Amino acid sequence: MSIHENLLGGPPPTHLPDDPEPRELLASGAAPSEVAAKYPSSSLAWAQLADDAFEAGRVVESYAYARTGYHRGLDALRRSGWKGHGPVPFEHEPNRGFLRALHALARAAQAIGEDEEYERCSAFLRDSSPTAADTLT
């Protein structure tokens, strides 16, 4: 039996393909706006923009960046075989951009009073990756 075998019969975990260039640029100190412009499909770049805007008090801007990263991540998940539900493990580093964007979207939604969206995104994050829900809060 494989260590990753799903004993409950649910969908298998989705592992996004690695896209190291945006991650390496961000790690080297490149401006997230430059990384997002060069790699607009990178959820990680959009999530970093959302985090930076939120920390600076620009909550609506954070919401917009997070929503972009979230939708880019949904596109990538679907291309990787995700059917709308199932695990998206935080332990798999390429998944972290999407999960960070989802967390940022929930956080910004809560800050602007979008309670239904906050609840939906928070539940989606926990259902996708309990580790991400615990780590990113």
Side-chain angles (χ1 to χ4, degrees):
M1 174 169 58
S2 166
I3 191 167
H4 296 291
E5 184 176 341
N6 186 338
L7 299 177
L8 299 178
T14 301
H15 295 99
L16 293 173
D18 197 12
D19 189 13
E21 293 86 4
R23 185 176 63 244
E24 291 168 358
L25 283 170
L26 290 167
S28 73
S33 59
E34 292 175 13
V35 178
K38 187 172 183 176
Y39 298 98
S41 64
S42 171
S43 288
L44 181 60
W46 294 106
Q48 187 61 55
L49 283 166
D51 288 348
D52 292 350
F54 193 85
E55 289 172 14
R58 300 185 319 269
V59 178
V60 172
E61 189 177 324
S62 176
Y63 181 89
Y65 287 138
R67 181 161 287 288
T68 301
Y70 166 77
H71 281 287
R72 292 300 185 134
L74 288 177
D75 293 344
L77 285 168
R78 289 182 185 115
R79 282 192 304 273
S80 294
W82 183 76
K83 303 290 186 212
H85 65 285
V88 182
F90 185 75
E91 295 79 4
H92 181 66
E93 190 169 5
N95 290 351
R96 291 182 184 178
F98 166 72
L99 295 167
R100 283 184 55 194
L102 178 56
H103 165 72
L105 182 57
R107 179 186 60 204
Q110 182 180 40
I112 64 171
E114 285 283 339
D115 295 333
E116 286 182 27
E117 185 167 31
Y118 165 71
E119 293 297 333
R120 179 184 58 79
C121 290
S122 295
F124 185 12
L125 181 62
R126 180 146 308 275
D127 290 346
S128 298
S129 174
T131 302
D134 292 341
T135 300
L136 298 172
T137 53

